[in-house]
Amino acid sequence: MLRHLHVKNLALIDDLELSFESGLNVITGETGAGKSLLMQAIGLALGGRATADLIRRDTTEAVVEAVFGLDKARLAPLFAEHDLLEAEELLVRRVITANGRSRVYLNGRLATVALLRQLSARLMQIYGQHEQQVLREADSALSLLDGFADTTRRVQEMTTRYQTLRRVWEHLRTLTEDKAAAEARQDFVRFQVDEIRRAALQPDEEEELRQERTILINAEKLYQTTSSGEEMLTASDGAVTDQLGRLVTQLRDLVQVDASLNEAISLLSDGLAQVEEAALFLRRYGERLSPNPERLEEIDVRLALLSRLKKKYGESIEAILARQAALEQELEHIESGEEAIAALQQEVAQAAHAAWSWAHELSEERRAAARNLEHSIQTELGQLGIQGAHFGVRFPQPPEDGTKGASDSPFTQNGRRLGERGYDQVEFYLSANPGEPLLPLVQVASGGELSRLMLALKALSAAAEATPTLIFDEVDAGIGGGVAEVVGRRLKVLADQHQVLCITHLPQIAAFADHAYTVTKTVAQGRTISSAQRLTPRERLQELARMLGGVEITPEARRHAREMLEGARRE
């Protein structure tokens, strides 16, 4: 439950702190005092959208902090998934900066807004002042029925199965539609594959060919240089080997004079051996060299082929080989198209069976829940002052689609159309007065009846979801008098199982509060400030009298307020 709220520099709020308790917490105040701003602060603590225009003028950032008491068993899986330490309380800190960005801290640790929203869904539900209008929307009945039936996980599984079916069906359609084009492309792809295969490319071939070509072009020059080099080393008068040999012989004669010359003799002997080896290498190299115009022409032809292939298939031989592999795979897909289509048809059949069977089970669960909802809503409406009301949940059968090819689609079956939430369509029917027929809710319900019906639905859904804290933001629109009193009584009962925060303008509801708060707006030093405080019993009586009597609080208003409080206390 929400234990504490601290708001700083948010629009008209300078610095506000409130502590909340279990039971029914009622927040009142004049129109425009800032009750909606207080709700906006709570919304930010739950992961609502943050913008820079929320920051109070002449300040650089706004801060909202909320402390929640935790049901560790309910939140343990989510805490473990995101590596959060388990604790008795959760401190949410939301900081909004001047650039419009915000930071989220959970128990002092930086977190994401997405994680905050995941946590918030398990902590609190907010029902806004215009939410009863949702009942007039086409898909609202199904969502509200699912909320009552607590089928969230089953609907998520339905969505997963539907998306799987959609994916394989789209793949099958793509393959089928592309089959004719693929067959026309088959000859062209086969020609490309054969052209590359005939070339018998090797990864390093081009560099080796260019090197060989350079050697052939310079063969004469290479031969002359290596031949003269060999002659200089070993064959000419005064050859290097002869001179080194004579020097070694002379040094050996002098070793007896100075033995240290042995080191020079060793080095020269090694050098002589290397010179002789180099001469041998040059001789053999020269013997291999000879002008070969036929081989040079072969290389030029091969390089021209490689150049042509690179222009068509890639910038390098490696790229051409990669292109060859891709073309071969494409050719294999084309040639095995029938098998692929047959395999995908089997996948579609399996996915369709899985999706439709789950949709049937989900529909049966919804229909069972609908019968319970009808009975529960009628009981709730009776407690909310709509005596003799009858409520019905209908599952209309959609008309046959009639779209060409619809019979081949795995998403239609016996006139039903499968979607992410199954195939059910749901409508709420109401007879608010005895003897009147059940008619679609949007045709017969007044504003006050919609408000009470929404309260009944939310109360039942909250019980199913076991949400710790419920906030009702002026959901008493369109009601008053005795009806407002029974709504207050119902909120009081609801607060036995949940912490309830209720913003209201009606004294009949405020009288049932376990804890009362008021929001006020003042002007100090030329600045407007919206603030809130918890009321003492005396202040609560005064606020209730204000709500009853208007600007001037008369003794009669005070007496009436006291009677309302005593009556609510007896209730």
Side-chain angles (χ1 to χ4, degrees):
M1 67 177 223
L2 177 62
R3 292 181 175 172
H4 192 78
L5 180 69
H6 176 216
V7 185
K8 187 174 179 64
N9 296 333
L10 185 73
L12 297 180
I13 296 177
D14 180 21
D15 197 341
L16 179 152
E17 288 196 54
L18 287 176
S19 293
F20 296 96
E21 306 290 342
S22 58
L24 179 57
N25 299 261
V26 173
I27 302 169
T28 60
E30 296 280 4
T31 300
K35 298 186 297 298
S36 60
L37 190 57
L38 188 62
M39 289 300 304
Q40 193 166 24
I42 294 175
L44 288 169
L46 297 176
R49 183 170 178 266
T51 57
D53 57 3
L54 292 174
I55 301 174
R56 184 168 171 79
R57 184 168 57 86
D58 297 333
T59 61
T60 58
E61 65 179 25
V63 179
V64 176
E65 295 176 316
V67 178
F68 295 91
L70 298 181
D71 178 354
K72 291 198 292 185
R74 180 179 172 84
L75 293 172
L78 190 59
F79 272 55
E81 179 183 348
H82 294 278
D83 195 27
L84 293 172
L85 294 176
E86 291 189 17
E88 298 294 331
E89 292 184 332
L90 174 67
L91 169 60
V92 176
R93 187 167 191 264
R94 188 87 182 269
V95 180
I96 307 167
T97 58
N99 59 11
R101 297 185 178 182
S102 70
R103 299 189 300 276
V104 173
Y105 299 90
L106 302 177
N107 284 347
R109 178 176 174 180
L110 190 64
T112 64
V113 175
L115 174 56
L116 175 58
R117 288 171 180 164
Q118 282 185 275
L119 285 167
S120 299
R122 293 165 169 82
L123 295 171
M124 181 180 290
Q125 293 291 336
I126 298 179
Y127 308 123
Q129 54 183 305
H130 303 298
E131 193 156 351
Q132 64 268 21
Q133 299 304 320
V134 171
L135 289 170
R136 300 187 186 275
E137 297 175 2
D139 295 333
S140 65
L142 180 59
S143 298
L144 290 166
L145 176 60
D146 282 337
F148 171 76
D150 195 19
T151 56
T152 302
R153 292 185 179 179
R154 296 189 66 83
V155 172
Q156 289 174 347
E157 177 64 20
M158 181 70 254
T159 300
T160 299
R161 296 189 181 203
Y162 173 84
Q163 290 173 345
T164 299
L165 174 58
R166 172 64 64 185
R167 176 176 51 79
V168 295
W169 172 247
E170 292 295 340
H171 191 185
L172 175 61
R173 288 183 59 189
T174 300
L175 274 188
T176 304
E177 292 170 359
D178 291 349
K179 182 181 176 183
E183 290 175 347
R185 178 174 166 76
Q186 185 174 8
D187 291 339
F188 178 63
V189 174
R190 183 178 289 112
F191 167 78
Q192 291 183 313
V193 170
D194 290 343
E195 183 178 32
I196 298 175
R197 284 176 178 172
R198 285 194 303 270
L201 302 176
Q202 300 299 321
D204 299 324
E205 176 183 7
E206 186 175 19
E207 182 60 32
E208 293 173 356
L209 287 173
R210 293 191 182 281
Q211 186 175 359
E212 184 180 357
R213 183 176 184 276
T214 301
I215 292 172
L216 286 173
I217 291 174
N218 295 278
E220 184 65 30
K221 181 179 180 181
L222 290 169
Y223 179 77
Q224 291 176 357
T225 301
T226 54
S227 295
S228 61
E230 180 199 0
E231 183 176 359
M232 181 189 304
L233 294 175
T234 61
S236 64
D237 291 338
V240 173
T241 53
D242 291 343
Q243 294 183 49
L244 287 175
R246 285 195 295 270
L247 179 56
V248 169
T249 300
Q250 293 171 2
L251 290 173
R252 283 176 179 158
D253 292 340
L254 295 174
V255 167
Q256 295 178 357
V257 178
D258 187 351
S260 64
L261 290 174
N262 277 322
E263 184 176 353
I265 293 171
S266 176
L267 292 171
L268 290 170
S269 296
D270 291 342
L272 179 59
Q274 291 180 358
V275 170
E276 291 173 344
E277 185 68 28
L280 179 61
F281 175 84
L282 292 175
R283 184 187 311 122
R284 291 174 178 171
Y285 183 87
E287 289 171 353
R288 294 197 306 269
L289 287 173
S290 62
N292 191 341
E294 293 81 6
R295 176 57 182 164
L296 185 59
E297 184 178 357
E298 289 177 5
I299 292 174
D300 287 339
V301 170
R302 182 66 175 175
L303 288 173
L305 172 63
L306 296 181
S307 178
R308 187 170 69 253
L309 292 176
K310 286 197 297 182
K311 289 180 180 179
K312 292 178 66 174
Y313 302 112
E315 297 179 352
S316 64
I317 290 180
E318 288 77 9
I320 297 172
L321 292 172
R323 177 64 176 160
Q324 178 187 346
L327 289 169
E328 288 173 342
Q329 186 176 21
E330 182 181 355
L331 188 61
E332 182 180 350
H333 283 314
I334 294 173
E335 292 172 345
S336 62
E338 292 295 336
E339 292 81 356
I341 289 175
L344 268 176
Q345 287 172 337
Q346 183 65 25
E347 278 193 63
V348 168
Q350 292 173 352
H353 176 75
W356 279 100
S357 61
W358 193 265
H360 291 320
E361 293 179 14
L362 180 58
S363 182
E364 289 300 317
E365 188 170 343
R366 282 169 172 160
R367 290 169 191 271
R371 291 190 289 271
N372 293 332
L373 179 62
E374 288 174 340
H375 175 74
S376 299
I377 285 292
Q378 287 179 190
T379 302
E380 288 282 334
L381 290 178
Q383 295 175 357
L384 290 172
I386 310 181
Q387 301 295 334
H390 289 278
F391 178 80
V393 182
R394 303 279 176 87
F395 292 81
Q397 180 74 17
E400 190 72 35
D401 191 330
T403 304
K404 184 178 180 181
S407 58
D408 298 328
S409 169
F411 301 100
T412 58
Q413 192 179 98
N414 300 326
R416 297 189 179 103
R417 180 74 184 176
L418 189 67
E420 290 191 344
R421 299 166 67 186
Y423 57 73
D424 288 318
Q425 295 185 20
V426 176
E427 291 182 3
F428 289 158
Y429 279 65
L430 180 68
S431 170
N433 301 295
E436 295 298 320
L438 281 170
L439 292 173
L441 184 66
V442 296
Q443 297 180 18
V444 297
S446 66
E449 289 165 345
L450 284 176
S451 295
R452 283 176 281 175
L453 181 57
M454 178 58 77
L455 174 59
L457 285 165
K458 292 303 184 180
L460 293 170
S461 298
E465 296 171 359
T467 306
T469 299
L470 310 175
I471 299 183
F472 293 91
D473 180 12
E474 298 186 21
V475 293
D476 48 23
I479 63 174
V483 173
E485 183 177 340
V486 296
V487 169
R489 189 180 300 120
R490 184 63 186 91
L491 288 171
K492 176 73 170 177
V493 172
L494 187 61
D496 288 339
Q497 292 86 34
H498 307 268
Q499 181 192 41
V500 176
L501 276 66
C502 177
I503 293 178
T504 184
H505 287 283
L506 299 179
Q508 294 91 337
I509 293 177
F512 284 93
D514 295 307
H515 315 283
Y517 306 80
T518 186
V519 179
T520 57
K521 185 166 64 176
T522 58
V523 177
Q525 297 179 350
R527 295 291 302 275
T528 302
I529 298 175
S530 183
S531 59
Q533 65 177 20
R534 185 169 177 173
L535 300 178
T536 64
R538 180 184 180 86
E539 291 168 336
R540 181 180 176 186
L541 177 64
Q542 188 77 357
E543 173 65 7
L544 204 60
R546 179 198 65 78
M547 297 172 74
L548 285 165
V551 177
E552 182 179 353
I553 301 176
T554 64
E556 289 78 10
R558 287 192 179 90
R559 184 175 63 254
H560 190 187
R562 187 176 293 106
E563 290 173 354
M564 290 184 69
L565 288 171
E566 291 174 354
R569 193 175 298 117
R570 286 195 300 271
E571 289 283 348

